Amino acid sequence: AQATLVQTFCIHARSLRRAFIRQPSRVALNEEEDLGCCWLNMPRLTEQLIRKRAEHNDGVLSDLEEVALHQQELEKIENLEACCRHIKILLLQNNIIPKMEGLSKLKELEYLNLALNNVSKIEGIEGCESLKKLDMTVNFVAAEELEESVYNMKANIMLEDLYLTGNPCEDWSGFRAYVVAHLPQLKQLDGKMILPNERIKARQNLPKLQQDLELAVQASLAKKAADAGKPVSEGAYTKESRNEMYLEMAGQKEEKDKNERRRMGTEPKEPRIVPGIHNARGEIRQCNEGKYDFNIDDETDPTKIIFELGVPKYLDTSALDVDVNPNYVRVVVKDKVTQLKLPSEVCADAAKVQRSRTTGSLRIDMPLMAPGRVRGEKGPAQLELQPLRAEKPLASAKAKEAVSVKNIYKDPRKMTSNQKSTELLREVRTRRTDVASDTGVRKPIGVACDVDDDGDDDGVPPLDVRT
């Protein structure tokens, strides 16, 4: 079953290689530029990728025991020792990893699968004390690297199952006996049980196997030197062909993901440009792009300015960027700027930034650089200025100079009927008195005269009375 699986992998790799040659890249670039661009876009084994592939463990890495990272176009093993110390099953098959590294601290690792990669030598697993199964199917472990690879596996005393099918070292006829003789802990090689008599026979023929290996190494090196100047055939399975094949697959996958993101509307947008501190006129910008509630208080405490910003309650504090300047305060909340010019110069070094655990609002206390007089405090008392007044005149002078203006504006046409009759009667009596004077008749003395009929004319001065 293992041999059938290896043949299937090899056939699939050759078919992909032919498809790659027949259908060149659609990008109109030369080969070097195209390969360089693709290499830059190859994914890496990051902590984010490991969490994504650890969905069965809710993305938790501290107690992760199994992770499948196959067919990810990975080029390097990294971040596993720092993130997954308790990993037991690690699947890295079908990538383009050229070197075994970053594995020595995985003390609990029991199964490592590196099939279908570009590994040339087995190394870096001496510290994997619990390793029981190692799958190196269809890699590039050649005869010249077999001796060192076997020596590096002697420290894994728990190793029971090893797969090296599809490697160039398998072309040497003494390959199986050599591995069995050097690794007594093995129970199964390439899916086939190791019998006791086979192990004894391999141990007996070990000196001869060592000589044959040296000859096989020389033959392999000579063959590589002879083929160095020859063009590679179309169906050759080499590291370069696998790299080209996986680069093409990575490009197709990226194009597919891009089309899917465009269809779903989740394509990442260009990063927003955060406005600067000053505007086009060179003045301090005043803006509130996030439209958050804010308040500047410089009256409660005359020694400082208090700035409060109502940011969302459940927003992570790491998304806030606060900048206190002597002349302005600036808060960036998720690329949205809130910046205000301060009414007075403050001491930025002594500013204190706090956030409420109840409401989530942001509070910034900024002491004034030079506190002035307290607002609302009364200044020193000043004399009240009174307008100039004229001196009061004496009572006698006032009595002399007093002039009655009673009835000065009295209009005779508006007189009442009683007043009119009185004036008329007075006029008649005055005329009668004048007539009597003309006739020589005098009024007897002692007869009372009417007050209104005094016989005198207001315009004529009074006559002297003679005895």
Side-chain angles (χ1 to χ4, degrees):
Q2 184 74 14
T4 305
L5 180 63
V6 172
Q7 291 179 356
T8 305
F9 281 149
C10 294
I11 294 173
H12 177 66
R14 294 190 184 97
S15 63
L16 289 175
R17 167 64 180 165
R18 296 190 187 97
F20 173 75
I21 294 176
R22 294 173 183 174
Q23 299 178 2
S25 176
R26 293 184 294 272
V27 182
L29 299 172
N30 57 46
E31 184 177 358
E32 294 181 359
E33 293 177 349
D34 193 9
L35 288 176
C37 179
C38 293
W39 277 110
L40 292 176
N41 294 331
M42 294 298 288
R44 297 184 60 182
L45 184 53
T46 60
E47 181 178 350
Q48 182 180 2
L49 177 60
I50 299 174
R51 290 186 184 277
K52 181 180 178 181
R53 302 298 296 179
E55 295 178 352
H56 59 282
N57 201 41
D58 297 331
V60 180
L61 303 183
S62 58
D63 59 348
L64 184 64
E65 296 184 354
E66 180 181 355
V67 62
L69 297 168
H70 57 283
Q71 297 181 351
Q72 297 295 320
E73 291 83 36
L74 300 176
E75 298 178 292
K76 186 178 180 181
I77 303 175
E78 53 186 345
N79 295 319
L80 289 174
E81 294 178 338
C83 301
C84 311
R85 286 294 187 93
H86 302 285
I87 195 74
K88 293 183 178 181
I89 300 177
L90 180 58
L91 306 178
L92 288 168
Q93 68 271 22
N94 209 353
N95 287 290
I96 50 176
I97 299 172
K99 184 178 181 180
M100 296 175 64
E101 56 185 347
L103 300 170
S104 59
K105 295 182 180 180
L106 303 180
K107 304 296 182 180
E108 302 178 19
L109 183 63
E110 298 179 359
Y111 175 34
L112 175 60
N113 192 335
L114 280 170
L116 288 167
N117 277 280
N118 294 346
V119 179
S120 300
K121 180 172 62 176
I122 301 175
E123 58 183 342
I125 57 174
E126 294 84 354
C128 301
E129 301 172 355
S130 304
L131 187 62
K132 297 180 179 179
K133 182 177 180 180
L134 177 62
D135 192 346
M136 299 295 298
T137 304
V138 191
N139 273 275
F140 295 90
V141 181
E144 54 268 26
E145 302 290 348
L146 179 61
E147 183 178 2
E148 188 174 355
S149 298
V150 172
Y151 178 80
N152 293 333
M153 289 186 286
K154 287 185 176 181
N156 305 109
I157 58 176
M158 302 292 292
L159 185 61
E160 299 177 351
D161 199 356
L162 176 64
Y163 291 91
L164 289 172
T165 306
N167 284 273
C169 62
E170 196 180 19
D171 297 338
W172 176 43
S173 58
F175 152 74
R176 182 178 175 87
Y178 183 84
V179 174
V180 170
H182 278 281
L183 300 176
Q185 71 271 29
L186 283 181
K187 296 181 179 180
Q188 184 172 288
L189 178 61
D190 292 334
K192 185 178 179 181
M193 295 295 297
I194 301 176
L195 301 177
N197 58 348
E198 181 183 4
R199 192 184 305 276
I200 295 173
K201 187 177 180 180
R203 294 286 296 178
Q204 292 175 350
N205 297 332
L206 185 57
K208 184 176 183 303
L209 292 174
Q210 190 67 37
Q211 296 176 0
D212 294 344
L213 177 60
E214 294 177 0
L215 296 176
V217 169
Q218 295 177 1
S220 177
L221 293 176
K223 183 179 180 181
K224 288 183 178 180
D227 297 341
K230 297 181 180 179
V232 181
S233 60
E234 179 179 342
Y237 187 75
T238 61
K239 293 182 180 181
E240 292 76 13
S241 64
R242 292 194 78 251
N243 288 337
E244 294 176 0
M245 178 180 65
Y246 276 86
L247 289 174
E248 178 69 13
M249 291 172 60
Q252 294 176 358
K253 183 178 180 180
E254 180 65 23
E255 185 70 19
K256 181 180 178 181
D257 294 343
K258 185 177 180 180
N259 294 335
E260 184 66 17
R261 291 193 300 267
R262 188 184 297 111
R263 185 181 68 85
M264 299 297 294
T266 58
E267 189 173 3
K269 299 180 181 179
E270 296 182 359
R272 181 178 178 273
I273 300 177
V274 179
I277 298 173
H278 299 87
N279 54 21
R281 298 187 298 272
E283 302 172 351
I284 295 177
R285 187 189 306 274
Q286 299 202 75
C287 59
N288 185 14
E289 296 180 340
K291 297 181 180 181
Y292 302 116
D293 296 334
F294 67 91
N295 179 42
I296 291 184
D297 183 8
D298 58 347
E299 297 181 356
T300 304
D301 191 344
T303 62
K304 63 182 178 181
I305 298 176
I306 302 174
F307 173 71
E308 294 182 354
L309 184 64
V311 297
K313 178 178 180 180
Y314 297 103
L315 179 67
D316 191 7
T317 307
S318 61
L320 301 177
D321 184 11
V322 181
D323 181 17
V324 179
N325 191 274
N327 298 318
Y328 66 86
V329 58
R330 176 185 177 95
V331 181
V332 182
V333 184
K334 298 178 66 175
D335 296 337
K336 298 294 181 66
V337 178
T338 299
Q339 179 174 300
L340 296 174
K341 185 178 180 181
L342 299 176
S344 302
E345 189 173 0
V346 300
C347 185
D349 296 339
K352 184 179 180 181
V353 182
Q354 294 176 320
R355 191 176 181 195
S356 174
R357 294 184 178 180
T358 306
T359 62
S361 62
L362 187 70
R363 176 189 172 103
I364 305 176
D365 295 350
M366 298 167 284
L368 293 177
M369 185 71 71
R373 183 171 57 86
V374 178
R375 291 202 177 197
E377 181 183 0
K378 295 183 179 180
Q382 298 181 357
L383 296 176
E384 184 178 359
L385 299 178
Q386 299 292 340
L388 296 176
R389 296 180 180 179
E391 296 181 357
K392 294 182 179 181
L394 298 177
S396 59
K398 182 178 180 181
K400 293 179 180 180
E401 296 178 1
V403 178
S404 176
V405 293
K406 186 178 180 181
N407 299 330
I408 191 172
Y409 294 109
K410 194 171 185 180
D411 190 357
R413 292 174 298 180
K414 295 183 179 181
M415 298 173 61
T416 61
S417 59
N418 294 334
Q419 293 176 346
K420 288 183 179 182
S421 61
T422 305
E423 293 292 334
L424 180 61
L425 181 59
R426 180 180 179 186
E427 183 179 357
V428 172
R429 290 178 179 177
T430 303
R431 288 180 181 179
R432 287 179 180 178
T433 304
D434 294 341
V435 174
S437 299
D438 294 340
T439 57
V441 180
R442 289 189 176 185
K443 199 169 188 179
I445 300 173
V447 179
C449 297
D450 192 352
V451 177
D452 294 335
D453 190 12
D454 54 0
D456 295 332
D457 190 1
D458 295 336
V460 179
L463 297 178
D464 296 334
V465 179
R466 297 179 180 179
T467 56

